[in-house]
Amino acid sequence: MDTATRATTLLELHHTGTTLVLPNVWDAWSARSVADAGFTALSIGSHPLADSRGQGDNEDMSIDDALDGVRRICSAVPDVPVTADMEAGYGAAPAELVERLLEAGAVGLNIEDTVHSEGGRMRSVAEHADYIGGLRQAADAAGVDLVVNARTDVFLKKDRFEDPVGEAVARLRGCEEAGARCVYPVGVPDAATLQAVLDAVSGPVNVIANPRTGSAAGSLEDLQVMGVHRVTFGPKLMQELAQDLVTLVAPWR
């Protein structure tokens, strides 16, 4: 599968009428393992990738570090579409980020509105939408259906906003209008809030879940009934496996 075909495949998987689950992987081994389990597409989480490298999340890795990880994972599963969490873009201009990401083999990316390299400030509604729009324009110019997933951290920082739901919706709508192909209200606190977001936007919505305990809005079945298009695990798959690893080796101490 070439890059353009993988990108179109990933985009189409967001519109099948079935919730797309993209387990977050962090290295070649985890990617191959998840692909062998039958998943048709994967996501790379910045947090577990950084942990696997002995580095920190929140852009403690450089863009070169992150793309090195992306390249190794994509090379391990060449026929599986992969989307990568690129945090806030690592300070790269949209066109540069798209060019380098595609070269590394990924056909989707997650971009958040917290700029860690600038003291953790949040981009404004317009600024985040402009960055997302730049990514979409660069992808279109390259002739690739890059799946841009626009994330907002409003619910992680809800004390900053009088109306967190309204603020999140404004940001997600702005990103949709700019060309995002999926939106991600990370940290959505409950089913009612998630439903309000689903009702307010027009395209696919990503929800984070724990592979053992589900999401704050319910189980996979609950999310399917609500019409959630996409589920990812963030760092939670690695964190759950770490507990299993401790349990497995502890008797041999």
Side-chain angles (χ1 to χ4, degrees):
M1 235 193 279
D2 62 18
T3 300
T5 302
R6 291 199 309 276
T8 301
T9 299
L10 180 61
L11 178 60
E12 291 173 347
L13 287 171
H14 286 69
H15 298 278
T16 63
T18 301
T19 303
L20 173 64
V21 179
L22 298 171
N24 290 83
V25 299
W26 53 89
D27 61 9
W29 169 80
S30 59
R32 290 194 191 104
S33 298
V34 172
D36 288 347
F39 287 87
T40 55
L42 308 175
S43 177
I44 300 170
S46 65
H47 193 162
L49 175 60
D51 279 349
S52 76
R53 296 175 59 89
Q55 295 171 280
D57 194 25
N58 299 336
E59 298 191 358
D60 182 53
M61 291 186 293
S62 68
I63 188 171
D64 293 334
D65 294 335
L67 289 172
D68 174 66
V70 171
R71 183 176 293 104
R72 290 170 184 271
I73 290 168
C74 292
S75 296
V77 286
D79 292 326
V80 178
V82 176
T83 181
D85 180 1
M86 296 305 292
E87 306 228 34
Y90 294 93
E96 176 195 355
L97 183 57
V98 168
E99 179 181 9
R100 296 189 66 182
L101 187 76
L102 292 175
E103 188 275 330
V107 291
L109 78 166
N110 179 79
I111 293 290
E112 62 201 51
D113 52 7
T114 298
V115 187
H116 302 288
S117 61
E118 299 177 17
R121 73 172 183 88
M122 288 188 74
R123 290 179 175 132
S124 68
V125 174
E127 183 185 6
H128 194 42
D130 284 347
Y131 195 87
I132 296 298
L135 295 169
R136 177 62 186 273
Q137 290 166 21
D140 289 350
V144 177
D145 289 326
L146 185 72
V147 178
V148 181
N149 183 44
R151 169 177 145 172
T152 182
D153 291 348
V154 165
F155 293 117
L156 300 182
K157 304 174 181 182
K158 58 186 179 181
D159 292 344
R160 299 187 187 184
F161 305 100
E162 291 185 9
D163 177 11
V165 176
E167 180 71 21
V169 165
R171 288 169 178 266
L172 299 178
R173 279 179 170 170
C175 289
E176 278 194 335
E177 292 169 2
R181 288 189 155 117
C182 187
V183 295
Y184 180 16
V186 67
V188 65
D190 50 48
T193 304
L194 175 58
Q195 189 63 62
V197 172
L198 288 165
D199 291 343
V201 301
S202 59
V205 173
N206 185 96
V207 172
I208 190 171
N210 181 303
R212 281 203 172 101
T213 61
S215 77
S219 65
L220 175 58
E221 292 74 18
D222 294 328
L223 298 178
Q224 289 170 331
V225 170
M226 294 178 73
V228 170
H229 304 77
R230 169 170 144 168
V231 173
T232 52
F233 297 148
K236 299 180 184 299
L237 175 58
M238 177 187 259
Q239 290 166 352
E240 289 293 330
L241 288 177
Q243 296 173 29
D244 290 346
L245 178 60
V246 170
T247 300
L248 182 62
V249 301
W252 293 82
R253 219 174 22 241

